[in-house]
mmCIF file with all atom_site columns, all heavy atoms in Angstrom:
data_model
loop_
_atom_site.group_PDB
_atom_site.id
_atom_site.type_symbol
_atom_site.label_atom_id
_atom_site.label_alt_id
_atom_site.label_comp_id
_atom_site.label_asym_id
_atom_site.label_entity_id
_atom_site.label_seq_id
_atom_site.pdbx_PDB_ins_code
_atom_site.Cartn_x
_atom_site.Cartn_y
_atom_site.Cartn_z
_atom_site.occupancy
_atom_site.B_iso_or_equiv
_atom_site.pdbx_formal_charge
_atom_site.auth_seq_id
_atom_site.auth_comp_id
_atom_site.auth_asym_id
_atom_site.auth_atom_id
_atom_site.pdbx_PDB_model_num
ATOM 1   N N   . LEU Y 1 682 ? 73.785 30.333 -35.514 1.00 98.00 ? 691 LEU Y N   1
ATOM 2   C CA  . LEU Y 1 682 ? 74.340 29.031 -35.370 1.00 98.00 ? 691 LEU Y CA  1
ATOM 3   C C   . LEU Y 1 682 ? 75.266 29.092 -34.146 1.00 98.00 ? 691 LEU Y C   1
ATOM 4   O O   . LEU Y 1 682 ? 76.051 30.003 -33.916 1.00 98.00 ? 691 LEU Y O   1
ATOM 5   C CB  . LEU Y 1 682 ? 75.184 28.702 -36.581 1.00 98.00 ? 691 LEU Y CB  1
ATOM 6   C CG  . LEU Y 1 682 ? 75.517 27.253 -36.869 1.00 98.00 ? 691 LEU Y CG  1
ATOM 7   C CD1 . LEU Y 1 682 ? 74.247 26.406 -37.143 1.00 98.00 ? 691 LEU Y CD1 1
ATOM 8   C CD2 . LEU Y 1 682 ? 76.422 27.147 -38.108 1.00 98.00 ? 691 LEU Y CD2 1
ATOM 9   N N   . PRO Y 1 683 ? 75.194 28.004 -33.297 1.00 97.00 ? 692 PRO Y N   1
ATOM 10  C CA  . PRO Y 1 683 ? 76.076 28.084 -32.147 1.00 97.00 ? 692 PRO Y CA  1
ATOM 11  C C   . PRO Y 1 683 ? 77.565 28.304 -32.444 1.00 97.00 ? 692 PRO Y C   1
ATOM 12  O O   . PRO Y 1 683 ? 78.057 27.876 -33.513 1.00 97.00 ? 692 PRO Y O   1
ATOM 13  C CB  . PRO Y 1 683 ? 75.835 26.730 -31.495 1.00 97.00 ? 692 PRO Y CB  1
ATOM 14  C CG  . PRO Y 1 683 ? 74.435 26.383 -31.890 1.00 97.00 ? 692 PRO Y CG  1
ATOM 15  C CD  . PRO Y 1 683 ? 74.384 26.906 -33.261 1.00 97.00 ? 692 PRO Y CD  1
ATOM 16  N N   . ALA Y 1 684 ? 78.276 28.950 -31.487 1.00 97.00 ? 693 ALA Y N   1
ATOM 17  C CA  . ALA Y 1 684 ? 79.635 29.387 -31.794 1.00 97.00 ? 693 ALA Y CA  1
ATOM 18  C C   . ALA Y 1 684 ? 80.566 28.243 -32.164 1.00 97.00 ? 693 ALA Y C   1
ATOM 19  O O   . ALA Y 1 684 ? 81.477 28.314 -32.935 1.00 97.00 ? 693 ALA Y O   1
ATOM 20  C CB  . ALA Y 1 684 ? 80.169 30.148 -30.566 1.00 97.00 ? 693 ALA Y CB  1
ATOM 21  N N   . THR Y 1 685 ? 80.334 27.103 -31.533 1.00 97.00 ? 694 THR Y N   1
ATOM 22  C CA  . THR Y 1 685 ? 81.225 25.887 -31.782 1.00 97.00 ? 694 THR Y CA  1
ATOM 23  C C   . THR Y 1 685 ? 81.136 25.523 -33.234 1.00 97.00 ? 694 THR Y C   1
ATOM 24  O O   . THR Y 1 685 ? 82.114 25.187 -33.900 1.00 97.00 ? 694 THR Y O   1
ATOM 25  C CB  . THR Y 1 685 ? 80.762 24.702 -30.863 1.00 97.00 ? 694 THR Y CB  1
ATOM 26  O OG1 . THR Y 1 685 ? 79.338 24.517 -31.057 1.00 97.00 ? 694 THR Y OG1 1
ATOM 27  C CG2 . THR Y 1 685 ? 81.049 24.970 -29.480 1.00 97.00 ? 694 THR Y CG2 1
ATOM 28  N N   . GLN Y 1 686 ? 79.934 25.637 -33.756 1.00 98.00 ? 695 GLN Y N   1
ATOM 29  C CA  . GLN Y 1 686 ? 79.669 25.234 -35.194 1.00 98.00 ? 695 GLN Y CA  1
ATOM 30  C C   . GLN Y 1 686 ? 80.191 26.265 -36.186 1.00 98.00 ? 695 GLN Y C   1
ATOM 31  O O   . GLN Y 1 686 ? 80.617 25.946 -37.229 1.00 98.00 ? 695 GLN Y O   1
ATOM 32  C CB  . GLN Y 1 686 ? 78.187 24.851 -35.383 1.00 98.00 ? 695 GLN Y CB  1
ATOM 33  C CG  . GLN Y 1 686 ? 77.644 23.766 -34.483 1.00 98.00 ? 695 GLN Y CG  1
ATOM 34  C CD  . GLN Y 1 686 ? 76.254 23.405 -34.713 1.00 98.00 ? 695 GLN Y CD  1
ATOM 35  O OE1 . GLN Y 1 686 ? 75.798 23.204 -35.821 1.00 98.00 ? 695 GLN Y OE1 1
ATOM 36  N NE2 . GLN Y 1 686 ? 75.544 23.330 -33.696 1.00 98.00 ? 695 GLN Y NE2 1
ATOM 37  N N   . ARG Y 1 687 ? 79.964 27.546 -35.811 1.00 98.00 ? 696 ARG Y N   1
ATOM 38  C CA  . ARG Y 1 687 ? 80.380 28.674 -36.635 1.00 98.00 ? 696 ARG Y CA  1
ATOM 39  C C   . ARG Y 1 687 ? 81.949 28.590 -36.909 1.00 98.00 ? 696 ARG Y C   1
ATOM 40  O O   . ARG Y 1 687 ? 82.433 28.641 -37.975 1.00 98.00 ? 696 ARG Y O   1
ATOM 41  C CB  . ARG Y 1 687 ? 80.028 29.949 -36.068 1.00 98.00 ? 696 ARG Y CB  1
ATOM 42  C CG  . ARG Y 1 687 ? 78.602 30.245 -35.897 1.00 98.00 ? 696 ARG Y CG  1
ATOM 43  C CD  . ARG Y 1 687 ? 78.301 31.795 -35.839 1.00 98.00 ? 696 ARG Y CD  1
ATOM 44  N NE  . ARG Y 1 687 ? 78.964 32.422 -34.750 1.00 98.00 ? 696 ARG Y NE  1
ATOM 45  C CZ  . ARG Y 1 687 ? 78.539 32.558 -33.488 1.00 98.00 ? 696 ARG Y CZ  1
ATOM 46  N NH1 . ARG Y 1 687 ? 77.349 32.055 -33.195 1.00 98.00 ? 696 ARG Y NH1 1
ATOM 47  N NH2 . ARG Y 1 687 ? 79.239 33.159 -32.620 1.00 98.00 ? 696 ARG Y NH2 1
ATOM 48  N N   . LYS Y 1 688 ? 82.671 28.317 -35.831 1.00 98.00 ? 697 LYS Y N   1
ATOM 49  C CA  . LYS Y 1 688 ? 84.096 28.193 -35.866 1.00 98.00 ? 697 LYS Y CA  1
ATOM 50  C C   . LYS Y 1 688 ? 84.467 27.028 -36.841 1.00 98.00 ? 697 LYS Y C   1
ATOM 51  O O   . LYS Y 1 688 ? 85.371 27.164 -37.633 1.00 98.00 ? 697 LYS Y O   1
ATOM 52  C CB  . LYS Y 1 688 ? 84.715 28.044 -34.511 1.00 98.00 ? 697 LYS Y CB  1
ATOM 53  C CG  . LYS Y 1 688 ? 86.178 27.879 -34.510 1.00 98.00 ? 697 LYS Y CG  1
ATOM 54  C CD  . LYS Y 1 688 ? 86.695 27.630 -33.017 1.00 98.00 ? 697 LYS Y CD  1
ATOM 55  C CE  . LYS Y 1 688 ? 88.227 27.396 -33.017 1.00 98.00 ? 697 LYS Y CE  1
ATOM 56  N NZ  . LYS Y 1 688 ? 88.697 27.139 -31.650 1.00 98.00 ? 697 LYS Y NZ  1
ATOM 57  N N   . LEU Y 1 689 ? 83.852 25.869 -36.628 1.00 98.00 ? 698 LEU Y N   1
ATOM 58  C CA  . LEU Y 1 689 ? 84.149 24.743 -37.481 1.00 98.00 ? 698 LEU Y CA  1
ATOM 59  C C   . LEU Y 1 689 ? 83.824 24.973 -38.886 1.00 98.00 ? 698 LEU Y C   1
ATOM 60  O O   . LEU Y 1 689 ? 84.566 24.627 -39.815 1.00 98.00 ? 698 LEU Y O   1
ATOM 61  C CB  . LEU Y 1 689 ? 83.429 23.467 -36.857 1.00 98.00 ? 698 LEU Y CB  1
ATOM 62  C CG  . LEU Y 1 689 ? 83.629 22.217 -37.660 1.00 98.00 ? 698 LEU Y CG  1
ATOM 63  C CD1 . LEU Y 1 689 ? 85.090 21.768 -37.602 1.00 98.00 ? 698 LEU Y CD1 1
ATOM 64  C CD2 . LEU Y 1 689 ? 82.752 21.060 -37.052 1.00 98.00 ? 698 LEU Y CD2 1
ATOM 65  N N   . LEU Y 1 690 ? 82.589 25.519 -39.141 1.00 98.00 ? 699 LEU Y N   1
ATOM 66  C CA  . LEU Y 1 690 ? 82.136 25.766 -40.555 1.00 98.00 ? 699 LEU Y CA  1
ATOM 67  C C   . LEU Y 1 690 ? 83.151 26.680 -41.251 1.00 98.00 ? 699 LEU Y C   1
ATOM 68  O O   . LEU Y 1 690 ? 83.498 26.478 -42.443 1.00 98.00 ? 699 LEU Y O   1
ATOM 69  C CB  . LEU Y 1 690 ? 80.739 26.352 -40.477 1.00 98.00 ? 699 LEU Y CB  1
ATOM 70  C CG  . LEU Y 1 690 ? 80.158 26.729 -41.829 1.00 98.00 ? 699 LEU Y CG  1
ATOM 71  C CD1 . LEU Y 1 690 ? 79.974 25.466 -42.820 1.00 98.00 ? 699 LEU Y CD1 1
ATOM 72  C CD2 . LEU Y 1 690 ? 78.746 27.448 -41.690 1.00 98.00 ? 699 LEU Y CD2 1
ATOM 73  N N   . GLU Y 1 691 ? 83.605 27.765 -40.612 1.00 98.00 ? 700 GLU Y N   1
ATOM 74  C CA  . GLU Y 1 691 ? 84.535 28.650 -41.205 1.00 98.00 ? 700 GLU Y CA  1
ATOM 75  C C   . GLU Y 1 691 ? 85.833 28.006 -41.526 1.00 98.00 ? 700 GLU Y C   1
ATOM 76  O O   . GLU Y 1 691 ? 86.475 28.173 -42.610 1.00 98.00 ? 700 GLU Y O   1
ATOM 77  C CB  . GLU Y 1 691 ? 84.751 29.886 -40.324 1.00 98.00 ? 700 GLU Y CB  1
ATOM 78  C CG  . GLU Y 1 691 ? 83.487 30.803 -40.215 1.00 98.00 ? 700 GLU Y CG  1
ATOM 79  C CD  . GLU Y 1 691 ? 83.635 31.893 -39.209 1.00 98.00 ? 700 GLU Y CD  1
ATOM 80  O OE1 . GLU Y 1 691 ? 84.770 32.195 -38.867 1.00 98.00 ? 700 GLU Y OE1 1
ATOM 81  O OE2 . GLU Y 1 691 ? 82.615 32.472 -38.882 1.00 98.00 ? 700 GLU Y OE2 1
ATOM 82  N N   . ALA Y 1 692 ? 86.373 27.139 -40.628 1.00 98.00 ? 701 ALA Y N   1
ATOM 83  C CA  . ALA Y 1 692 ? 87.622 26.374 -40.864 1.00 98.00 ? 701 ALA Y CA  1
ATOM 84  C C   . ALA Y 1 692 ? 87.428 25.437 -41.987 1.00 98.00 ? 701 ALA Y C   1
ATOM 85  O O   . ALA Y 1 692 ? 88.375 25.244 -42.873 1.00 98.00 ? 701 ALA Y O   1
ATOM 86  C CB  . ALA Y 1 692 ? 88.010 25.717 -39.595 1.00 98.00 ? 701 ALA Y CB  1
ATOM 87  N N   . VAL Y 1 693 ? 86.340 24.704 -42.133 1.00 98.00 ? 702 VAL Y N   1
ATOM 88  C CA  . VAL Y 1 693 ? 86.069 23.808 -43.201 1.00 98.00 ? 702 VAL Y CA  1
ATOM 89  C C   . VAL Y 1 693 ? 85.974 24.544 -44.563 1.00 98.00 ? 702 VAL Y C   1
ATOM 90  O O   . VAL Y 1 693 ? 86.521 24.122 -45.546 1.00 98.00 ? 702 VAL Y O   1
ATOM 91  C CB  . VAL Y 1 693 ? 84.840 22.938 -42.852 1.00 98.00 ? 702 VAL Y CB  1
ATOM 92  C CG1 . VAL Y 1 693 ? 84.336 22.196 -44.108 1.00 98.00 ? 702 VAL Y CG1 1
ATOM 93  C CG2 . VAL Y 1 693 ? 85.080 22.014 -41.691 1.00 98.00 ? 702 VAL Y CG2 1
ATOM 94  N N   . GLN Y 1 694 ? 85.298 25.640 -44.574 1.00 98.00 ? 703 GLN Y N   1
ATOM 95  C CA  . GLN Y 1 694 ? 85.152 26.376 -45.745 1.00 98.00 ? 703 GLN Y CA  1
ATOM 96  C C   . GLN Y 1 694 ? 86.491 26.920 -46.225 1.00 98.00 ? 703 GLN Y C   1
ATOM 97  O O   . GLN Y 1 694 ? 86.744 27.033 -47.476 1.00 98.00 ? 703 GLN Y O   1
ATOM 98  C CB  . GLN Y 1 694 ? 84.121 27.545 -45.584 1.00 98.00 ? 703 GLN Y CB  1
ATOM 99  C CG  . GLN Y 1 694 ? 83.725 28.229 -46.855 1.00 98.00 ? 703 GLN Y CG  1
ATOM 100 C CD  . GLN Y 1 694 ? 84.620 29.349 -47.165 1.00 98.00 ? 703 GLN Y CD  1
ATOM 101 O OE1 . GLN Y 1 694 ? 85.379 29.866 -46.307 1.00 98.00 ? 703 GLN Y OE1 1
ATOM 102 N NE2 . GLN Y 1 694 ? 84.560 29.853 -48.438 1.00 98.00 ? 703 GLN Y NE2 1
ATOM 103 N N   . ALA Y 1 695 ? 87.373 27.310 -45.291 1.00 98.00 ? 704 ALA Y N   1
ATOM 104 C CA  . ALA Y 1 695 ? 88.702 27.853 -45.713 1.00 98.00 ? 704 ALA Y CA  1
ATOM 105 C C   . ALA Y 1 695 ? 89.603 26.810 -46.341 1.00 98.00 ? 704 ALA Y C   1
ATOM 106 O O   . ALA Y 1 695 ? 90.602 27.217 -46.941 1.00 98.00 ? 704 ALA Y O   1
ATOM 107 C CB  . ALA Y 1 695 ? 89.344 28.298 -44.338 1.00 98.00 ? 704 ALA Y CB  1
ATOM 108 N N   . THR Y 1 696 ? 89.242 25.507 -46.236 1.00 98.00 ? 705 THR Y N   1
ATOM 109 C CA  . THR Y 1 696 ? 89.988 24.502 -47.037 1.00 98.00 ? 705 THR Y CA  1
ATOM 110 C C   . THR Y 1 696 ? 89.926 24.680 -48.485 1.00 98.00 ? 705 THR Y C   1
ATOM 111 O O   . THR Y 1 696 ? 90.719 24.089 -49.266 1.00 98.00 ? 705 THR Y O   1
ATOM 112 C CB  . THR Y 1 696 ? 89.693 23.025 -46.629 1.00 98.00 ? 705 THR Y CB  1
ATOM 113 O OG1 . THR Y 1 696 ? 88.311 22.784 -47.034 1.00 98.00 ? 705 THR Y OG1 1
ATOM 114 C CG2 . THR Y 1 696 ? 89.728 22.899 -45.076 1.00 98.00 ? 705 THR Y CG2 1
ATOM 115 N N   . GLY Y 1 697 ? 88.869 25.361 -48.986 1.00 98.00 ? 706 GLY Y N   1
ATOM 116 C CA  . GLY Y 1 697 ? 88.659 25.431 -50.442 1.00 98.00 ? 706 GLY Y CA  1
ATOM 117 C C   . GLY Y 1 697 ? 87.775 24.401 -51.013 1.00 98.00 ? 706 GLY Y C   1
ATOM 118 O O   . GLY Y 1 697 ? 87.353 24.487 -52.225 1.00 98.00 ? 706 GLY Y O   1
ATOM 119 N N   . THR Y 1 698 ? 87.473 23.367 -50.245 1.00 98.00 ? 707 THR Y N   1
ATOM 120 C CA  . THR Y 1 698 ? 86.497 22.326 -50.715 1.00 98.00 ? 707 THR Y CA  1
ATOM 121 C C   . THR Y 1 698 ? 85.078 22.906 -50.680 1.00 98.00 ? 707 THR Y C   1
ATOM 122 O O   . THR Y 1 698 ? 84.722 23.472 -49.698 1.00 98.00 ? 707 THR Y O   1
ATOM 123 C CB  . THR Y 1 698 ? 86.582 21.105 -49.808 1.00 98.00 ? 707 THR Y CB  1
ATOM 124 O OG1 . THR Y 1 698 ? 87.946 20.670 -49.767 1.00 98.00 ? 707 THR Y OG1 1
ATOM 125 C CG2 . THR Y 1 698 ? 85.722 19.974 -50.312 1.00 98.00 ? 707 THR Y CG2 1
ATOM 126 N N   . PRO Y 1 699 ? 84.276 22.738 -51.820 1.00 98.00 ? 708 PRO Y N   1
ATOM 127 C CA  . PRO Y 1 699 ? 83.012 23.181 -51.846 1.00 98.00 ? 708 PRO Y CA  1
ATOM 128 C C   . PRO Y 1 699 ? 82.191 22.625 -50.611 1.00 98.00 ? 708 PRO Y C   1
ATOM 129 O O   . PRO Y 1 699 ? 82.240 21.418 -50.286 1.00 98.00 ? 708 PRO Y O   1
ATOM 130 C CB  . PRO Y 1 699 ? 82.347 22.681 -53.113 1.00 98.00 ? 708 PRO Y CB  1
ATOM 131 C CG  . PRO Y 1 699 ? 83.604 22.483 -53.958 1.00 98.00 ? 708 PRO Y CG  1
ATOM 132 C CD  . PRO Y 1 699 ? 84.646 22.113 -52.980 1.00 98.00 ? 708 PRO Y CD  1
ATOM 133 N N   . VAL Y 1 700 ? 81.327 23.491 -49.982 1.00 98.00 ? 709 VAL Y N   1
ATOM 134 C CA  . VAL Y 1 700 ? 80.569 23.107 -48.766 1.00 98.00 ? 709 VAL Y CA  1
ATOM 135 C C   . VAL Y 1 700 ? 79.042 23.219 -48.977 1.00 98.00 ? 709 VAL Y C   1
ATOM 136 O O   . VAL Y 1 700 ? 78.614 24.229 -49.521 1.00 98.00 ? 709 VAL Y O   1
ATOM 137 C CB  . VAL Y 1 700 ? 80.956 23.894 -47.509 1.00 98.00 ? 709 VAL Y CB  1
ATOM 138 C CG1 . VAL Y 1 700 ? 80.096 23.555 -46.312 1.00 98.00 ? 709 VAL Y CG1 1
ATOM 139 C CG2 . VAL Y 1 700 ? 82.483 23.739 -47.232 1.00 98.00 ? 709 VAL Y CG2 1
ATOM 140 N N   . VAL Y 1 701 ? 78.292 22.187 -48.618 1.00 98.00 ? 710 VAL Y N   1
ATOM 141 C CA  . VAL Y 1 701 ? 76.879 22.269 -48.569 1.00 98.00 ? 710 VAL Y CA  1
ATOM 142 C C   . VAL Y 1 701 ? 76.478 22.247 -47.141 1.00 98.00 ? 710 VAL Y C   1
ATOM 143 O O   . VAL Y 1 701 ? 76.827 21.283 -46.409 1.00 98.00 ? 710 VAL Y O   1
ATOM 144 C CB  . VAL Y 1 701 ? 76.179 21.049 -49.354 1.00 98.00 ? 710 VAL Y CB  1
ATOM 145 C CG1 . VAL Y 1 701 ? 74.633 21.198 -49.178 1.00 98.00 ? 710 VAL Y CG1 1
ATOM 146 C CG2 . VAL Y 1 701 ? 76.606 21.086 -50.835 1.00 98.00 ? 710 VAL Y CG2 1
ATOM 147 N N   . LEU Y 1 702 ? 75.691 23.252 -46.679 1.00 99.00 ? 711 LEU Y N   1
ATOM 148 C CA  . LEU Y 1 702 ? 75.371 23.295 -45.222 1.00 99.00 ? 711 LEU Y CA  1
ATOM 149 C C   . LEU Y 1 702 ? 73.911 22.712 -45.132 1.00 99.00 ? 711 LEU Y C   1
ATOM 150 O O   . LEU Y 1 702 ? 73.029 23.192 -45.815 1.00 99.00 ? 711 LEU Y O   1
ATOM 151 C CB  . LEU Y 1 702 ? 75.438 24.767 -44.778 1.00 99.00 ? 711 LEU Y CB  1
ATOM 152 C CG  . LEU Y 1 702 ? 74.832 25.000 -43.298 1.00 99.00 ? 711 LEU Y CG  1
ATOM 153 C CD1 . LEU Y 1 702 ? 75.576 24.223 -42.292 1.00 99.00 ? 711 LEU Y CD1 1
ATOM 154 C CD2 . LEU Y 1 702 ? 74.827 26.451 -43.020 1.00 99.00 ? 711 LEU Y CD2 1
ATOM 155 N N   . VAL Y 1 703 ? 73.730 21.754 -44.326 1.00 99.00 ? 712 VAL Y N   1
ATOM 156 C CA  . VAL Y 1 703 ? 72.417 21.124 -44.051 1.00 99.00 ? 712 VAL Y CA  1
ATOM 157 C C   . VAL Y 1 703 ? 72.116 21.463 -42.525 1.00 99.00 ? 712 VAL Y C   1
ATOM 158 O O   . VAL Y 1 703 ? 72.818 21.124 -41.699 1.00 99.00 ? 712 VAL Y O   1
ATOM 159 C CB  . VAL Y 1 703 ? 72.399 19.667 -44.286 1.00 99.00 ? 712 VAL Y CB  1
ATOM 160 C CG1 . VAL Y 1 703 ? 71.063 19.058 -43.898 1.00 99.00 ? 712 VAL Y CG1 1
ATOM 161 C CG2 . VAL Y 1 703 ? 72.798 19.293 -45.679 1.00 99.00 ? 712 VAL Y CG2 1
#
Side-chain angles (χ1 to χ4, degrees):
L691 196 66
T694 51
Q695 300 182 50
R696 296 200 305 270
K697 180 181 176 183
L698 178 62
L699 179 61
E700 292 175 16
V702 166
Q703 191 271 342
T705 65
T707 304
V709 177
V710 177
L711 174 61
V712 178

